[in-house]
Amino acid sequence: MEIRELSVPGAWEFTPRQFGDDRGVFLESFKASEFEKAVGRPFDLRQVNVSTSAAGVLRGIHYTQNPPGQAKYVTCVRGAFLDVVVDLRPTSPTFGRWDAVVIDDENRRSVYLSEGLGHALLSLEDGSTVTYLCSLEYTPEFDGEIDAFDPAIGIEWPTVGRDGRPLTFNRSPKDAAAPLLADLNRTR
């Protein structure tokens, strides 16, 4: 497995080795020993989520108040997404920095983000499906969101899908009404 730390400290990209033959492909999507070596601690799995999205669906920027925070290990099992990580840790020297990785059903990369980081996904084709391994069960009172189009963050969202057709962004009403980064309570 190839492991690369992203430019946002506390976030990593995991690219598995794939073994294919005429029957299909096998890979290790998550391996605790490799994860722990890279991240420096075990992953405490508490919940697994699956989400399927049409092309242009933009989910996020979502975060969980820290503490307790929620770490995520995100893998695309079908289709393609742009996976975006944003540093939302109030005292971090990289507060507001973002990085992105294309995760898809070809390279089968995964992204890990530590507690305190924000997360957004843009589906790059219809029927794209992602799984999230989560370190905290869903706890709505800890959830928050930041506007994915906040110019202070400046995420460069693609406007064309994996098939070359233009993307029309589709967000939930809650995500569309999300506050700006400047409105985030940095004393949390």
Side-chain angles (χ1 to χ4, degrees):
M1 183 171 291
E2 288 182 35
I3 302 170
R4 177 179 72 91
E5 188 166 13
L6 300 181
S7 66
V8 174
W12 284 265
E13 170 191 281
F14 292 81
T15 305
R17 289 182 29 209
Q18 299 184 57
F19 303 93
D21 60 26
D22 60 345
R23 299 170 298 157
V25 175
F26 173 83
L27 61 109
E28 296 172 338
S29 177
F30 177 87
K31 190 169 187 175
S33 61
E34 295 289 325
F35 177 87
E36 291 172 21
K37 191 184 313 177
V39 176
R41 64 183 176 139
F43 187 82
D44 186 20
L45 179 61
R46 296 292 178 202
Q47 183 169 318
V48 178
N49 300 329
V50 177
S51 176
T52 300
S53 300
V57 169
L58 175 55
R59 300 179 188 275
I61 303 169
H62 299 150
Y63 67 92
T64 302
Q65 292 177 15
N66 192 25
Q70 182 186 61
K72 296 177 184 172
Y73 191 89
V74 185
T75 305
C76 177
V77 295
R78 182 175 185 273
F81 290 91
L82 183 68
D83 189 306
V84 178
V85 178
V86 181
D87 191 343
L88 299 179
R89 297 169 294 197
T91 60
S92 172
T94 58
F95 180 80
R97 180 184 295 171
W98 67 275
D99 202 347
V101 174
V102 172
I103 58 175
D104 62 25
D105 57 10
E106 293 175 12
N107 62 46
R108 293 173 166 66
R109 289 185 186 105
S110 297
V111 172
Y112 169 74
L113 54 141
S114 299
E115 297 86 350
L117 300 179
H119 186 240
L121 285 170
L122 174 62
S123 177
L124 301 175
E125 69 179 54
D126 286 337
S128 294
T129 302
V130 68
T131 63
Y132 304 69
L133 308 181
C134 301
S135 68
L136 179 73
E137 291 182 11
Y138 176 64
T139 313
E141 61 267 25
F142 295 140
D143 281 359
E145 54 278 325
I146 299 294
D147 187 353
F149 294 107
D150 185 341
I153 299 171
I155 297 169
E156 297 167 11
W157 296 109
T159 57
V160 176
R162 192 156 106 165
D163 61 3
R165 292 190 302 209
L167 291 173
T168 301
F169 296 115
N170 181 358
R171 299 193 289 168
S172 72
K174 185 176 179 183
D175 285 349
L180 300 175
L181 182 65
D183 299 325
L184 184 67
N185 178 358
R186 290 191 71 172
T187 60
R188 59 180 171 88

